[in-house]
Amino acid sequence: MKVPFVDLKLQYQNYKAEIDKAIADVIADTAFIGGSGNKYVQKFESEFAKYLGIANVISCANGTDSLEILLEAYGITEGEEVIVPALSWISSSEAVGRCGAKPVFVDVCEDTLLMDLNLVEKAITKNTKAIMPVHLYGNALNMEEVMRIAKKHNLIVIEDCAQAHGAKYNGKLVGTFGHASSFSFYPGKNLGAYGDAGAIATNDETIAKKCRMIANHGQQRKHDHIIEGRNSRMDGLHAAILSVKLNYLDGWNLARNKAASHYSKILDSTNVSLPIQNKNAYHVFHLYVIRSNKRDQLKEHLSSQGIEVAIHYPTALPFLNAYSYLKHQPEQFPVAFKQTKNILSIPMYPELNVEQIDHISKVINNF
Ligand SMILES: *Cc1c(COP(=O)(O)O)cnc(C)c1O
C-alpha cells in the first residue's frame, strides 16, 4: 500500500464542485490581483479576521513576506535583535536577516521541540526588539508565558502561526496573543491555497495600516505612494479558494487530531517515541513527528515500502550555511542539534484513513 505524505488531490476531489465554482467566479470577474478593489480578497480577509476574532487581517503573497512586512512595520532594523527558535523553517530567521537585524536563536524543549521559554530571558540583550515564537508542527506554545516575558522586557511579539491555523493555547486561538501574527497558506499547510499566499493579523490599527501600505507598493490610495513598499499581494483566485476551505478548517483539524490519536494508540515500537502535545495546547498536527535514534534506516525502510516521509528539519537554523557567519556551536543548542538527527515526519492529513494509519504503524512496529 502506497501512502503519500499529504493528499491534496483527494482533498480537491472532495470539494471539487465548490472550489471549481470559486475559481470560475474569480475568472469571470477577472478579479486577479489583490488590493482594495478585489472583493474576493476582501471577503477572505474579513472571514479570516472573524475566525480569529482579530480586528485586521492583511493578506499578502506568502507567509515569509508576512513576517518580513511585520518586522518592517515595527521598524526593526540594523543593529537590532529578534529572538527565534533554533528549530523552525528558515523563514523565521530569514525575515529577521532581510530586515538587517540579527536572528538570536533559542534552543527548543526536549519533549515538545517548541522554543524553550526558560532560555528566552537569557537571550535578551539591550538590542533585542522582538520575539517571534513558532507554533511548530501545529503544537501551541505557552503564549501566556511569552507575553509575560515580552511585557517585562518591553518587546514586540510576532506569532508565527504558519503551521498552526486553529491551534489553541488554554482554549484561545494562536495568533491572538501577540501584538501581531503571521500565517502562511502554502498548499500543504492546514489551511492552504493553490499556490503561495499569506496573511498578517493584528488588533493594532497603526501597524495594520503600515502593513497594508508596505504590501502594496507603499500606496495609501492608488498612485499615492507614501513610502517605498513592495509587491506582496494575495491573488483573487487564492482568496476565493481560501474562503471555501476556511469553512472546513476546524473539521480538518479535528480529523488530524483523530489520526494522531490513532497513530499514538497503535504505534508501540520501542524504537520510536511519539509526539508530545504541549500542556494546555490544542495541537492541530500540521505534522506528526516521531523520533528514533535509527531515523535514517527507518526513513529508508518506510520509503522502500511506498510510505512517503520527510524531515522537518534536517538541520537546525543556527547550523545552516546561511548562518555560518554567526559561528554557532552544537553545545549552544544541544537539543535542536541532537533532535534534528532523530525526527521523522510521517504521513498526516485530514483524509488519512484508519487502514492507512494501521498499515504505516505496522511497518514501523515491524522495523
Ligand atoms: C511555511 C512556513 C513559513 C513560510 O511560509 P511561506 O508561505 O512558505 O513563505 C514560515 N514559518 C513557518 C514555521 C513555516 O512552516
Side-chain angles (χ1 to χ4, degrees), residues 15 23 27 137 158 164 193 228 244 274 278 290 334 342 349:
Y15 302 91
I23 293 171
I27 295 173
Y137 306 151
I158 298 170
E228 275 183 338
V244 171
L274 305 179
N278 197 21
I290 61 173
N342 297 336
Y349 47 91

Side-chain angles (χ1 to χ4, degrees), residues 288-301:
Y288 190 86
V289 179
I290 61 173
R291 282 183 251 180
S292 166
N293 48 24
K294 298 192 185 74
R295 193 268 315 272
D296 291 337
Q297 291 114 291
L298 178 59
K299 180 173 183 281
E300 206 43 52
H301 180 64

Side-chain angles (χ1 to χ4, degrees), residues 213-220 224-230:
M213 259 189 349
I214 293 167
N216 194 13
H217 295 295
Q219 298 177 104
Q220 203 170 38
D224 184 11
H225 303 270
I226 310 291
I227 51 168
E228 275 183 338
R230 58 201 288 169

Side-chain angles (χ1 to χ4, degrees), residues 12-13 15-31 39-40 43 194 236-245 248:
Y12 170 61
Q13 290 306 327
Y15 302 91
K16 188 175 184 313
E18 256 187 291
I19 289 188
D20 286 356
K21 181 179 183 306
I23 293 171
D25 288 349
V26 174
I27 295 173
D29 283 344
T30 61
K39 67 178 182 191
Y40 297 95
K43 179 167 178 277
Y194 283 4
L237 286 167
H238 296 312
I241 292 162
L242 288 168
S243 277
V244 171
K245 291 180 72 173
Y248 302 105

Side-chain angles (χ1 to χ4, degrees), residues 1 46 65 174 201 205 238 280:
M1 185 195 289
S46 66
D65 278 5
V174 304
E205 298 296 332
H238 296 312
N280 301 324

Side-chain angles (χ1 to χ4, degrees), residues 304-361:
S304 73
Q305 304 284 309
I307 297 167
E308 277 182 21
V309 296
I311 301 171
H312 301 90
Y313 297 91
T315 306
L317 297 177
F319 310 117
L320 291 172
N321 268 327
Y323 300 107
S324 57
Y325 72 97
L326 294 170
K327 300 192 165 48
H328 285 309
Q329 297 303 315
E331 315 75 86
Q332 293 177 273
F333 311 98
V335 180
F337 185 77
K338 178 169 165 241
Q339 293 306 332
T340 44
K341 295 177 173 46
N342 297 336
I343 49 181
L344 185 67
S345 310
I346 62 176
M348 170 53 77
Y349 47 91
E351 298 79 11
L352 191 69
N353 64 41
V354 171
E355 291 72 35
Q356 290 170 310
I357 297 170
D358 286 345
H359 173 69
I360 297 162
S361 302

Side-chain angles (χ1 to χ4, degrees), residues 5 12 29 56 60 114 126 179 234 248 261 306:
F5 188 66
Y12 170 61
D29 283 344
N56 307 282
C60 60
L114 294 170
K126 62 177 197 322
H179 299 97
M234 182 188 281
Y248 302 105
S261 304

